[in-house]
Amino acid sequence: MTHRDDLALALELADIADAISLDRFRAQDLHVETKPDSSPVTDADRSVEQALKAKLFEARPDDSLIGEEFGNTNGSNQGPKRTWIIDPIDGTANFMRGVPVWASLIALSIDGRVVLSVVSAPALGRRWWAAPEIGAWTRDIDGSERILKVSAIGDLQHASLSYNNLQLWDQSGQLPELVELSRKIWRTRAYGDFYSYMLLAEGSVDIVTEHDLKIYDIAALVPIVELAGGKFSALNGPLTEETSSVLATNEKLHDEVFAVFN
């Protein structure tokens, strides 16, 4: 099994996800529930994950699966531990309100390291993917493809930051540090969810940081950012499977921004 084979499957999974989610986007009969953690879930989230789980069971029956909506499935692979990590719709709140900034996140971890991923945002007409020996790529709305590279900005005063949710920064007790950082940089925005990280990989944003994430929110973002030349860590140390607060940068700014929060 090569990385190209696995990436081809991940892209196929993204096609399946796009067809289901886009059909339910702005549907008048969209069913929305509140999960125990107070986050929303729609029938589209569940339908996408069920479809991807079924395809993976058919194509990679020995692999494990971590999914946001239906939990984990342990595979029987006797070699390297292969785990697919899926967020069927990242940005469910946007999805249910008719905001087109949402995506399906699909990643493959081998022996605990996420090696390849696909992020597909059909309502934006965009897709991003990355794998070893292939690099990080995007498909633009016109169908053209281009390789991704983070920015070369090395000075905070010229940097652009996307921070996501202010309420979560307040709840974390680190809002003062975020405000301190904002005073040192050129521009702050809250593009939200997966999109901030894709803009980082494209070189349009230089720093992304946010709180209250799970492994399925993070996994697919890491290969795309790192293979575009960026750096990904926890906000207070190395990135692990338990990380919930993250910092991603164009690598040049990482240590300086990390120091602001530590």
Side-chain angles (χ1 to χ4, degrees):
M1 197 78 63
T2 69
H3 291 316
R4 287 187 181 274
D5 293 332
D6 287 325
L7 180 60
L9 175 58
L11 291 166
E12 185 179 352
L13 293 172
D15 289 340
I16 294 169
D18 287 357
I20 296 169
S21 58
L22 201 54
D23 182 64
R24 298 299 294 152
F25 184 50
R26 295 178 176 148
Q28 294 299 308
D29 61 344
L30 185 71
H31 182 66
V32 181
E33 295 178 15
T34 301
K35 295 191 287 188
D37 65 359
S38 299
S39 64
V41 60
T42 71
D43 60 83
D45 293 83
R46 289 176 171 145
S47 294
V48 168
E49 188 166 319
Q50 285 175 325
L52 300 193
K53 186 175 182 179
K55 180 62 181 178
L56 283 169
F57 184 76
E58 170 194 316
R60 300 286 191 275
D62 295 327
D63 290 0
S64 300
L65 171 66
I66 296 174
E68 179 176 8
E69 307 306 337
F70 295 102
N72 303 346
T73 302
N74 292 321
S76 58
N77 196 301
Q78 301 302 306
K81 182 171 175 54
R82 295 166 46 89
T83 304
W84 295 86
I85 306 168
I86 291 172
D87 187 345
I89 297 180
D90 182 61
T92 296
N94 281 346
F95 184 91
M96 58 188 265
R97 290 296 301 270
V99 179
V101 184
W102 50 269
S104 293
L105 312 185
I106 300 161
L108 174 63
S109 168
I110 299 178
D111 287 338
R113 178 174 172 267
V114 183
V115 295
L116 61 86
S117 63
V118 177
V119 171
S120 194
L124 295 176
R126 298 293 310 279
R127 182 177 287 183
W128 302 260
W129 61 92
E133 294 92 44
I134 294 169
W137 291 78
T138 187
R139 185 181 70 206
D140 285 306
I141 195 168
D142 64 358
S144 62
E145 297 180 358
R146 57 190 167 94
I147 198 163
L148 297 174
K149 185 173 178 56
V150 297
S151 76
I153 299 294
D155 191 326
L156 277 181
Q157 68 176 336
H158 301 304
S160 175
L161 160 73
S162 184
Y163 58 81
N164 208 356
N165 190 318
L166 275 182
Q167 290 95 323
L168 292 174
W169 281 93
D170 195 21
Q171 292 166 20
S172 75
Q174 290 189 299
L175 186 56
E177 288 90 340
L178 183 68
V179 173
E180 177 190 346
L181 179 61
S182 75
R183 293 183 178 128
K184 298 179 178 181
I185 63 177
W186 166 58
R187 195 170 192 240
T188 60
R189 288 292 185 271
Y191 296 108
D193 302 305
F194 73 95
Y195 195 43
S196 299
Y197 302 89
M198 300 303 99
L199 291 174
L200 171 64
E202 291 183 11
S204 301
V205 167
D206 312 300
I207 306 160
V208 185
T209 182
E210 62 177 315
H211 294 283
D212 196 33
L213 301 179
K214 305 290 191 300
I215 187 172
Y216 41 74
D217 299 308
I218 301 169
L221 312 174
V222 176
I224 295 171
V225 168
E226 291 186 341
L227 287 172
K231 185 172 182 177
F232 221 113
S233 75
L235 195 58
N236 60 355
L239 193 66
T240 72
E241 291 186 359
E242 287 72 45
T243 294
S244 63
S245 298
V246 302
L247 172 65
T249 71
N250 66 353
E251 199 278 325
K252 292 178 180 292
L253 297 168
H254 204 90
D255 291 347
E256 190 172 3
V257 176
F258 186 88
V260 172
F261 296 106
N262 297 276

